[in-house]
Amino acid sequence: MTGVAKTKTKQFTVGATAVGVAFAALVAVATGPWDSSGQRKAEADRAVSQGSRGGADHGRTSAGAASAAPSAPAVLAAPGASVPGPTEHALADVLDPLFKDAALGSRRTAAVVDAATGKRLYGKSAGDALTPASTTKLATAVAALTAAGPDHRIATRTALEKDSGELLLIGGGDPTLTAREKNPYGAAGLRTLADRTAASLKDAGTTEVTLSYDTSLYSGPSLHPIGVNDNLAQVSALMADEARTDGSNSGPAPRAADPAASAAQKFADLLHERGIKTKGTPGPSKASGQAEDLAKVESPPLSALVERMLTNSDNDIAEALARQTAIAAGESHDFDGAGRAVKKQLEKLGLPLSGAHFSDGSGLDRTDKASAALLTGLLAEAADRSRPELRSLLTGLPVAGFTGTLAHRYTDEADASGTGLVRAKTGTLTGVNTLAGTVVDADGRLLVFAFMTEGAPGPQSAQAVLDRLASSVANCGCR
């Protein structure tokens, strides 16, 4: 590292952390609304709790006292709008020693790009396609948002076959549909659908039906290539609460063996509570063209689903969004069609797809391939002011030390300076570790980055180096 770069980095490390924590709190408010998972509340509370690091005017508050706002400029200019970016040489001086760490394994690639200009400031085999693991979800998000649109909602509905009296519960592909009494995050409610369906049936003088369920929207195998796994349910057009059987909202969990049948039985129970009897056990069927729609409920908009998917690395939402992309793009509604649809959407954006392959929407499939150039391209596209439909790609990224899959990282002294500054999607499979996201560097320049590794000897040591690389970008003036 040159003497200038060393001095510059040291000068900005503490200052950037302070400004970054304040910036994180300001962005949390500005990008509202507050969500029920506590994501943005957690960011604001953490910023306040930093006390002396939050600004000269705001010390730590005593227990029970009202929280003080961290110091921040009254008006914050758009990152990168008027400040110079780091130089390639100085950034390389900072990152090269870390990038050579043996903890990163046998293969590693990297890219750092200026979001304002699209210029690559740092690259190491950036065009080589490696296994991206869960950073595949960045591609899924961009594809779904551009194909179906950020305001698109997924409907679950009921319809009645007049001749036979068969009531059909028809899945539209919403994995967040909830049967729980307490709605966890503003999802569409199976209870609400039961209320509306029962009311409609009673208005028509019907109090007993044969209940069936329709999952015909999707085609192909429902089981992911990894097989039965707590990381996701079978991919079905109908499920409730992601087919979770333990009451959880995120993370690995045991799943119902048949998500659609489980959801239909819950719906039958809800109808019984509302005075509608159902004959026998619900079974699979398909609505005819003469079926009369009775009621429907709709998911949160795709933009909200994208945020939740990225923050929690939610595999079920990812596979659902890949299917929604296939539906919008006119591809087959299966794993293969979803993969083609995602790639087709990214091609329309002119993104670098050399070697790219999408076998699923979640990144659990090891045959997925993407390059650091593609990952930074996706992030830079989302940062483009002319692409407001992609904004949830950025707002959904986990924040270092605050939320989602980065909530418990950046705790070591060596990388803690990235807390509140690094926003990034993680990706982890055995021997595969990735990190791709955004930082505002010490000079206020918005940068996007992607670091990818394969063959790492241990996940924790590899993650630590990746976190340190991102923290170094965040805290580097590097001119």
Side-chain angles (χ1 to χ4, degrees):
M1 182 187 299
T2 65
V4 173
K6 285 182 179 178
T7 303
K8 188 72 173 176
T9 302
K10 289 179 180 178
Q11 288 173 341
F12 278 101
T13 298
V14 176
T17 303
V19 173
V21 172
F23 176 75
L26 184 61
V27 170
V29 174
T31 58
W34 304 86
D35 64 24
S36 61
S37 71
Q39 174 175 343
R40 296 190 177 101
K41 184 177 186 301
E43 292 180 28
D45 288 349
R46 176 63 179 268
V48 171
S49 74
Q50 300 303 302
S52 60
R53 288 192 289 171
D57 299 328
H58 303 292
R60 296 185 182 276
T61 56
S62 58
S67 298
S71 294
V75 177
L76 191 64
S82 59
V83 295
T87 66
E88 296 175 47
H89 177 71
L91 190 58
D93 282 345
V94 171
L95 298 183
D96 277 350
L98 292 170
F99 196 69
K100 295 174 182 177
D101 196 311
L104 292 180
S106 56
R107 296 190 69 189
R108 74 275 310 263
T109 69
V112 179
V113 172
D114 186 324
T117 65
K119 180 182 178 181
R120 186 181 299 162
L121 303 173
Y122 184 78
K124 296 291 183 181
S125 303
D128 291 356
L130 302 184
T131 301
S134 277
T135 54
T136 298
K137 294 181 176 73
L138 297 174
T140 302
V142 169
L145 291 168
T146 55
D151 298 324
H152 175 68
R153 296 173 185 265
I154 306 171
T156 306
R157 58 193 178 92
T158 54
L160 184 67
E161 299 284 5
K162 283 288 191 178
D163 293 341
S164 64
E166 179 185 20
L167 177 67
L168 291 125
L169 175 62
I170 304 171
D174 178 12
T176 66
L177 176 73
T178 182
R180 296 173 186 169
E181 188 169 359
K182 185 177 181 181
N183 195 319
Y185 44 85
L190 201 60
R191 291 170 181 270
T192 302
L193 186 61
D195 288 339
R196 295 173 181 173
T197 301
S200 182
L201 289 170
K202 288 178 180 179
D203 286 346
T206 300
T207 57
E208 186 173 16
V209 294
T210 297
L211 178 63
S212 301
Y213 55 90
D214 183 347
T215 61
S216 61
L217 180 64
Y218 287 0
S219 59
S222 60
L223 187 63
H224 189 280
I226 66 171
V228 176
N229 193 288
D230 283 356
N231 282 295
L232 83 168
Q234 292 195 46
V235 182
S236 171
L238 175 65
M239 65 175 69
D241 300 298
E242 299 182 341
R244 295 171 180 272
T245 61
D246 64 354
S248 64
N249 289 326
S250 63
R255 312 300 179 107
D258 187 334
S262 176
Q265 185 57 58
K266 290 176 181 177
F267 190 63
D269 295 340
L270 292 170
L271 288 177
H272 293 171
E273 293 173 7
R274 288 153 178 79
I276 303 296
K277 296 180 181 178
T278 60
K279 302 173 185 177
T281 301
S285 186
K286 184 176 181 179
S288 72
Q290 287 71 48
E292 179 183 310
D293 285 343
L294 294 184
K296 73 174 181 178
V297 291
E298 294 183 314
S299 73
L302 244 61
S303 57
L305 298 184
V306 163
E307 283 194 330
R308 184 169 182 82
M309 172 187 71
L310 294 176
T311 298
N312 295 324
S313 200
D314 192 301
N315 298 306
D316 299 282
I317 295 178
E319 298 302 343
L321 293 184
R323 290 296 202 284
Q324 292 298 312
T325 304
I327 293 167
E331 294 284 351
S332 58
H333 308 169
D334 54 16
F335 283 108
D336 290 340
R340 288 193 300 269
V342 168
K343 194 168 185 178
K344 180 188 294 186
Q345 289 304 120
L346 303 188
E347 285 174 349
K348 291 179 180 179
L349 297 175
L351 291 164
L353 290 167
S354 177
H357 178 74
F358 304 103
S359 297
D360 65 3
S362 61
L364 288 171
D365 195 315
R366 287 179 173 273
T367 63
D368 291 330
K369 297 296 177 185
S371 66
L374 174 57
L375 296 179
T376 52
L378 292 163
L379 292 160
E381 196 76 19
D384 189 334
R385 292 185 185 181
S386 68
R387 291 282 184 186
E389 72 275 14
L390 299 180
R391 198 64 67 232
S392 56
L393 185 78
L394 302 183
T395 56
L397 292 174
V399 181
F402 286 100
T403 59
T405 54
L406 287 184
H408 303 294
R409 285 170 61 166
Y410 290 81
T411 56
D412 294 339
E413 184 177 349
D415 52 49
S417 61
T419 300
L421 300 177
V422 174
R423 287 177 171 262
K425 181 70 197 76
T426 58
T428 307
L429 293 170
T430 303
V432 173
N433 296 274
T434 60
L435 190 68
T438 70
V439 295
V440 176
D441 76 0
D443 287 329
R445 193 80 174 182
L446 179 63
L447 308 176
V448 297
F449 66 87
F451 302 115
M452 310 180 71
T453 72
E454 287 184 2
Q460 284 75 29
S461 57
Q463 288 172 4
V465 178
L466 295 179
D467 292 348
R468 207 160 301 144
L469 281 162
S471 293
S472 297
V473 175
N475 288 288
C476 182
C478 293
R479 295 200 309 273

